[in-house]
Amino acid sequence: GDSVTQMEGPVTLSEEAFLTINCTYTATGYPSLFWYVQYPGEGLQLLLKATKADDKGSNKGFEATYRKETTSFHLEKGSVQVSDSAVYFCALSDQGGSYIPTFGRGTSLIVHP
Amino acid sequence: DVKVTQSSRYLVKRTGEKVFLECVQDMDHENMFWYRQDPGLGLRLIYFSYDVKMKEKGDIPEGYSVSREKKERFSLILESASTNQTSMYLCATSISTRGGDTQYFGPGTRLTVL
């Protein structure tokens, strides 16, 4: 079956540091890939997505590139802010198959001033 | 924008009580989902529905039931609440049964069972 593996947290950074959160996946079909973010006390919301190989999703300074050859979708940001402190979930959904998505376990990011 | 609302942000119930959690969406999405979220375990799917009156079990349906009488409303029912059902409950929707779609989440209900 499909699976998503993302790095365990918490990831602790100082403001303006570079962020990478690793995400790798296994999929039987051709997936869409997502990053969702959950701010404290809230539900998840879509941060960015990519639907085909080599696509780059971007939003709010975050980027992730769909790498089919390495089955990865790593999240990056060049300069994090305190307000980026949240839990980040990598996920996939098979475009030709089940509409039930597969989520990673989430990575907590803590950014200090 | 899709809006998904949940009936309560915080709920405290006693063991053995019947608990209703409601989720309402304001778009015409076909699919609705209930997850629970626990530290270290991520999101786990309880039940989902792809149409009115249709429901399917997810990964952890034991102790829960659901109801979808109208397209916009999906209820999660704890028939007899237990302390191990203390958790954050998240409702989500997606537009169709075609794979690859974005999920839209409500704000969550933090349920404590005493």
Side-chain angles (χ1 to χ4, degrees):
Chain A
D2 296 348
S3 68
V4 174
T5 303
Q6 59 182 109
M7 58 193 291
E8 290 192 26
V11 173
T12 304
L13 295 172
S14 297
E15 206 164 24
E16 299 183 2
F18 185 86
L19 168 71
T20 301
I21 300 178
N22 291 336
C23 171
T24 57
Y25 67 91
T26 59
T28 52
Y30 200 110
S32 292
L33 302 175
F34 305 83
W35 278 101
Y36 291 87
V37 59
Q38 184 180 32
Y39 297 105
E42 298 182 11
L44 281 70
Q45 59 185 269
L46 178 69
L47 180 60
L48 52 86
K49 67 182 282 189
T51 58
K52 61 183 189 294
D54 300 324
D55 262 4
K56 180 185 284 188
S58 61
N59 186 24
K60 299 182 181 180
F62 291 89
E63 293 183 340
T65 301
Y66 191 140
R67 300 286 186 203
K68 195 163 186 281
E69 64 277 12
T70 55
T71 61
S72 65
F73 193 54
H74 305 320
L75 183 68
E76 296 183 336
K77 186 175 186 183
S79 176
V80 294
Q81 305 299 312
V82 172
S83 57
D84 293 326
S85 298
V87 181
Y88 293 81
F89 291 88
C90 185
L92 68 82
S93 179
D94 188 345
Q95 295 180 40
S98 171
Y99 58 92
I100 310 302
T102 300
F103 286 88
R105 290 201 170 185
T107 302
S108 175
L109 170 65
I110 301 168
V111 180
H112 294 292
Chain B
D1 275 356
V2 175
K3 190 165 174 123
V4 182
T5 57
Q6 294 184 227
S7 50
S8 306
R9 294 299 299 270
Y10 300 93
L11 210 51
V12 178
K13 296 293 181 180
R14 296 211 173 270
T15 301
E17 281 192 80
K18 191 168 185 175
V19 181
F20 293 87
L21 302 181
E22 287 212 313
C23 175
V24 178
Q25 54 146 329
D26 69 352
M27 292 295 286
D28 202 31
H29 283 190
E30 292 183 12
N31 307 321
M32 298 187 76
F33 306 80
W34 276 107
Y35 295 92
R36 64 177 282 176
Q37 181 181 17
D38 300 288
L41 298 178
L43 298 176
R44 292 183 290 168
L45 181 63
I46 305 171
Y47 267 97
F48 60 100
S49 167
Y50 57 89
D51 201 353
V52 175
K53 297 193 187 295
M54 306 307 292
K55 59 186 179 184
E56 297 285 347
K57 293 180 180 178
D59 300 318
I60 53 163
E62 297 78 19
Y64 303 93
S65 62
V66 290
S67 172
R68 193 169 180 197
E69 297 296 318
K70 294 185 178 182
K71 190 171 186 178
E72 68 270 19
R73 191 179 297 267
F74 192 37
S75 301
L76 180 69
I77 303 154
L78 287 66
E79 295 288 343
S80 177
S82 64
T83 55
N84 63 12
Q85 292 178 311
T86 291
S87 186
M88 169 72 99
Y89 290 88
L90 293 166
C91 176
T93 72
S94 66
I95 193 167
S96 76
T97 53
R98 181 190 66 236
D101 289 333
T102 300
Q103 288 217 316
Y104 297 87
F105 286 83
T109 295
R110 186 165 293 282
L111 172 67
T112 302
V113 182
L114 302 175

